[in-house]
Amino acid sequence: MAKHDSPVPLYLQIKDYIRLNIQHGVFAVNERIPSERQLADQFSVNRLTVSKALNELAQEGVVYSQVGKGTYVAPAKIDQALQSLTSFTQDMIGRGKRAASRVLHAAIEPANTEAAKALMILPGAEVVVLHRVRMADDQPVALERSHVISALCPGILDNHDFSRESLYAVLKAEYHLHMTYAHQTIEARKAGEAERDALEAESGLPILFITRVTYDLNDHPVEYVRSSYRGDRYKFYTILRTAE
Ligand code: 16G
């Protein structure tokens, strides 16, 4: 029952109620939660108030709706630490998930200005361009567009299938390129059309857009990547310590 005299708005009380029930497993993952009408009756509020609560929870990736069917509990987000440099495959193995990729594009191309600048090569020098939809347990979670300096890994596309192989593992085992550190930025934005198609997402999906330059042991840039992670399936965490 909602507290109508509380300073906490009614729709926020409903959100808290749903969130708590999910945390305690009362509403289980991929199961339907009570309908808008049931919640409106239960809390003695109008359906618009319930709909506002459900819409916000959907935007936050806590629930998802299926047209004509109802609202369901979304699986928990993948939680990625920002302290260490890992590959997607390593991340997924660490979580007990199956990593795979759908390769959208794989070719040797002249570097565009942006990639050339990031990789400190001349525009037009050859780069391996690899666009992949990264899948966790068969669910698309990210679209990655990698550029790797071609001269560092000759023949890489001829000998490997990146729908199942790890790029970092191949670079290390075959080309002795040890990815050591990376500079990375993360920005929020709405998914564009290409991202929506690749990630099988609806319009309005929030994206965590990551730009990364990855360096080898000798401080040489090796990879420039632009990645779009589904905001409803991913979150990043980091440990912060006080400055000395
Ligand atoms: C991570 C990296 C990406 C790299 C990929 C290699 C981001 C933010 N990070 O996803 O730069 O290309 O791992 O993964 O995109 P793989 O070794 O599994 O192919």
Side-chain angles (χ1 to χ4, degrees):
M1 189 54 182
K3 294 195 188 85
H4 287 251
D5 55 353
S6 158
V8 181
L10 290 166
Y11 83 95
L12 286 182
Q13 295 184 42
I14 297 170
K15 274 180 80 179
D16 283 348
Y17 165 83
I18 296 170
R19 216 191 277 279
L20 269 177
N21 275 290
I22 294 175
Q23 275 164 11
H24 294 147
V26 180
F27 301 155
V29 171
N30 293 325
E31 275 187 10
R32 197 168 59 205
I33 66 170
S35 69
E36 226 174 75
R37 182 190 296 276
Q38 285 168 324
L39 288 164
D41 288 348
Q42 183 180 342
F43 287 94
S44 308
V45 296
N46 66 41
R47 283 178 66 171
L48 275 180
T49 307
V50 177
S51 150
K52 184 167 180 188
L54 294 179
N55 281 340
E56 284 201 4
L57 286 170
Q59 266 169 19
E60 291 163 21
V62 177
V63 299
Y64 60 95
S65 57
Q66 287 203 335
V67 184
K69 287 190 175 165
T71 306
Y72 294 76
V73 178
K77 291 186 181 184
I78 296 169
D79 202 324
Q80 188 185 324
L82 288 176
Q83 283 95 319
S84 47
L85 179 64
T86 47
S87 72
F88 182 85
T89 306
Q90 283 174 311
D91 276 346
M92 291 308 120
I93 291 172
R95 283 182 179 77
K97 291 184 184 287
R98 209 173 43 257
S101 305
R102 198 152 62 81
V103 177
L104 302 181
H105 182 75
I108 312 285
E109 291 174 11
N112 60 28
T113 331
E114 194 184 284
K117 193 171 161 216
L119 293 168
M120 297 201 275
I121 53 176
L122 290 172
E126 286 187 336
V127 283
V128 178
V129 180
L130 187 57
H131 293 187
R132 289 179 293 174
V133 179
R134 310 309 306 262
M135 325 277 283
D137 283 347
D138 301 326
Q139 295 288 323
V141 291
L143 169 65
E144 288 182 354
R145 285 152 290 205
S146 305
H147 302 72
V148 180
I149 300 176
S150 184
L152 298 174
C153 51
I156 191 167
L157 292 181
D158 303 328
N159 304 321
H160 296 281
D161 172 5
F162 288 109
S163 63
R164 28 176 210 90
E165 287 184 85
S166 153
L167 175 65
Y168 281 10
V170 169
L171 289 175
K172 186 172 170 187
E174 198 166 320
Y175 300 97
H176 311 292
L177 291 167
H178 296 260
M179 302 302 214
T180 311
Y181 64 94
H183 287 194
Q184 184 166 293
T185 59
I186 306 177
E187 298 162 67
R189 70 182 202 196
K190 273 190 188 163
E193 204 182 319
E195 287 157 332
R196 284 204 304 272
D197 284 353
L199 298 172
E200 297 166 28
E202 298 187 351
S203 70
L205 175 82
I207 289 287
L208 295 160
F209 183 73
I210 302 181
T211 309
R212 181 196 270 196
V213 182
T214 320
Y215 298 81
D216 70 4
L217 278 174
N218 305 313
D219 298 331
H220 293 140
V222 173
E223 176 200 43
Y224 168 61
V225 58
R226 293 183 305 133
S227 304
S228 306
Y229 280 73
R230 285 184 66 130
D232 59 341
R233 301 208 173 136
Y234 243 87
K235 62 180 172 185
F236 293 93
Y237 81 88
T238 185
I239 298 173
L240 304 172
R241 300 184 201 281
T242 47
E244 291 294 303

